[in-house]
Amino acid sequence: MAVPVFRFAPSPNGFLHLGHALSALMNFEMARRMRGRFLLRIEDIDRTRCRPEFEAAIYEDLAWLGIEWEEPVRRQSDHMDAYRAALERLEAQGLLYPSFESRAEIARLVAERERTAGPWPRDPDGAPLYPGRAFAMDEAERRRRIAAGESYALRLRMGAAIARAGPLSWRETGAGPAGETGEIAAAPAAWGDVVLARKETPTSYHLAVVVDDAAQGVTHVVRGQDLFAATSIHRLLQALLGFAAPQYRHHRLVLGADGRKLSKSTKATALRELRAQGVTPAEIRRLIALG
Ligand code: GLU
């Protein structure tokens, strides 16, 4: 059998917290047990929120936990060409269209619809589905607005993409938020016409993660349950781009004292804050209930 490949893929937009420790340690230890490889990937496509000091802190915190990773580390900002190429392949299949509304305009459109027609559908993350009609815009107008330098988001024609890919599923060895496990049927329609790129960035999280997992030969994706629903989009993009599907293990989230998902902005659960207080890596494992 091929060597299993695991990865931990944090974004350097804040300090790692206890939830990241659980994810990183699970990946690292599963890779060890299965005599596989463990990769670290820096997900830094959002240049406005990522900072070099957070990236440096990721290396420091992981090393302190006793985690070792292969070099070189893949940094997403170094691979914009790969994302652009994937985007072009989707474009060539006629599966993308630009939409020109700003986030504020989208919020206004949704509010308007809700006034007349009741609750507007939301995606699994709670964001309203795209309410605009840019998919029906004629080609000449699209070209004119792009040439005029307008901002736009490139969206996936979800209906057409699903029709092309056919039914999809993935093997889940962990569990979704409602205990879903085993062979899971992908349900990407719930996400509507997702944004895959913007004028100034040739990718989104969804596209980059799929391209990178394929480029790095990742066979096992182990990550938090908060990304369970997004796996449906990832399976769809893998199918459209001809990539093999890894198996997935979504793990429980580490919750704060308030019972909510941890945030990178909470100091109390940041690994470096705990370390500064004299907490040891062994105590971190106890805090996240990792045997
Ligand atoms: N970069 C994502 C995050 O920090 C994780 C991506 C993944 O594991 O697929 O939440």
Side-chain angles (χ1 to χ4, degrees):
M1 207 186 106
V3 179
V5 181
F6 291 79
R7 80 338 185 247
F8 175 58
S11 296
N13 55 13
F15 294 120
L16 299 186
H17 55 53
L18 288 170
H20 296 108
L22 177 62
S23 224
L25 284 165
M26 277 183 77
N27 273 289
F28 179 63
E29 288 173 5
M30 286 177 73
R32 282 243 153 135
R33 263 201 311 280
M34 294 173 68
R35 298 184 193 287
R37 299 169 57 199
F38 172 77
L39 311 177
L40 175 61
R41 181 165 80 223
I42 301 294
E43 302 214 323
D44 62 346
I45 50 176
D46 184 351
R47 304 308 287 161
T48 58
R49 295 175 62 219
C50 294
R51 290 208 242 122
E53 57 270 35
F54 292 136
E55 185 178 328
I58 288 172
Y59 302 133
E60 213 178 279
D61 292 346
L62 293 180
W64 175 69
L65 286 173
I67 290 174
E68 291 159 28
W69 56 91
E70 288 183 18
E71 298 282 354
V73 167
R74 185 176 174 100
R75 199 185 280 119
Q76 289 188 327
S77 56
D78 293 335
H79 295 275
M80 291 300 176
D81 288 349
Y83 311 134
R84 201 171 285 115
L87 208 57
E88 279 164 11
R89 289 174 57 202
L90 296 171
E91 174 71 51
Q93 297 177 54
L95 294 176
L96 303 180
Y97 68 89
S99 66
F100 299 91
E101 296 91 348
S102 66
R103 287 186 176 91
E105 276 172 282
I106 287 182
R108 196 179 45 72
L109 275 174
V110 168
E112 219 166 73
R113 304 248 164 130
E114 291 196 319
R115 255 195 314 278
T116 54
W120 183 253
R122 313 262 149 178
D123 71 21
D125 281 348
L129 299 195
Y130 174 61
R133 298 194 35 83
F135 59 89
M137 189 180 285
D138 70 62
E139 209 40 54
E141 179 175 357
R142 269 187 197 129
R143 274 200 297 272
R144 183 182 59 70
R145 296 179 70 160
I146 290 175
E150 278 190 46
S151 286
Y152 59 86
L154 278 180
R155 295 180 179 273
L156 184 66
R157 290 181 193 274
M158 185 54 84
I162 290 173
R164 173 175 282 256
L168 298 166
S169 65
W170 76 86
R171 177 147 169 249
E172 175 67 48
T173 63
E180 306 92 324
T181 192
E183 199 63 23
I184 309 287
W191 291 93
D193 290 354
V194 280
V195 172
L196 293 188
R198 293 184 187 274
K199 182 189 173 192
E200 58 292 349
T201 319
T203 187
S204 64
Y205 157 66
H206 298 303
L207 184 64
V209 86
V210 159
V211 168
D212 287 343
D213 284 340
Q216 296 188 290
V218 171
T219 57
H220 292 66
V221 172
V222 178
R223 62 186 179 189
Q225 233 161 38
D226 51 338
L227 290 169
F228 180 83
T231 307
S232 286
I233 306 176
H234 302 171
R235 283 295 298 116
L236 179 60
L237 294 176
Q238 285 157 0
L240 296 171
L241 294 166
F243 298 151
Q247 54 169 278
Y248 289 85
R249 183 181 193 92
H250 292 92
H251 61 71
R252 67 186 159 83
L253 299 178
V254 178
L255 302 180
D258 56 1
R260 307 199 16 201
K261 188 181 142 180
L262 298 183
S263 150
K264 275 189 176 133
S265 52
T266 312
K267 223 173 152 197
T269 45
L271 296 178
R272 52 188 34 227
E273 181 64 23
L274 294 163
R275 170 155 49 111
Q277 290 168 13
V279 174
T280 65
E283 283 161 344
I284 296 284
R285 302 176 69 95
R286 275 196 291 281
L287 283 172
I288 57 178
L290 196 67

